[in-house]
Amino acid sequence: MGALQAGGLQEEELSKNILQFDRRFKVKGGLTSIGQICVYDNGLDEDLIEDWKIRFHGELHYIENQSFVYDVVLIAMTIIVIIKKLSKKICEFTALS
């Protein structure tokens, strides 16, 4: 578990717009992150900051409540989200065929 990485310039912009954004790096990156499951689709352009505020709030909750059980729950929820996204893509693909 751990912080979900943004990237380069995006990271700088988010640090300017989200108070204590760097605090998320107190946890080493891992298999998954609450940020991956608390937002279903990535926000783009003007929605980017709001999207990452939601992710960051979730990551702070994880940092403050870290435990083995929390990690297991996050892994299970990540698997569920992946299955949902894959089934959505399969449905879209079969609808196009």
Side-chain angles (χ1 to χ4, degrees):
M1 301 347 88
L4 182 64
Q5 298 295 316
L9 293 174
Q10 187 180 41
E11 195 82 40
E12 289 177 28
E13 183 178 343
L14 294 169
S15 292
K16 287 183 211 171
N17 289 290
I18 301 174
L19 187 64
Q20 296 184 336
F21 189 72
D22 295 339
R23 192 169 161 211
R24 49 198 293 278
F25 296 111
K26 287 187 175 188
V27 178
K28 188 170 71 168
L31 294 174
T32 188
S33 151
I34 195 164
Q36 291 178 297
I37 57 177
C38 66
V39 176
Y40 192 73
D41 288 316
N42 294 326
L44 300 172
D45 301 323
E46 65 276 347
D47 295 330
L48 179 72
I49 301 296
E50 194 57 38
D51 177 48
W52 274 92
K53 282 182 182 179
I54 294 167
R55 291 173 190 265
F56 178 63
H57 180 72
E59 289 178 351
L60 284 182
H61 186 270
Y62 175 79
I63 290 168
E64 293 165 359
N65 298 284
Q66 229 177 326
S67 72
F68 176 75
V69 174
Y70 202 156
D71 288 346
V72 171
V73 169
L74 283 178
I75 291 169
M77 291 176 73
T78 300
I79 291 168
I80 291 167
V81 168
I82 290 170
I83 291 169
K84 284 182 177 182
K85 285 184 177 185
L86 284 174
S87 60
K88 180 181 176 185
K89 293 285 184 191
I90 291 169
C91 289
E92 288 173 357
F93 179 75
T94 55
L96 294 174
S97 300

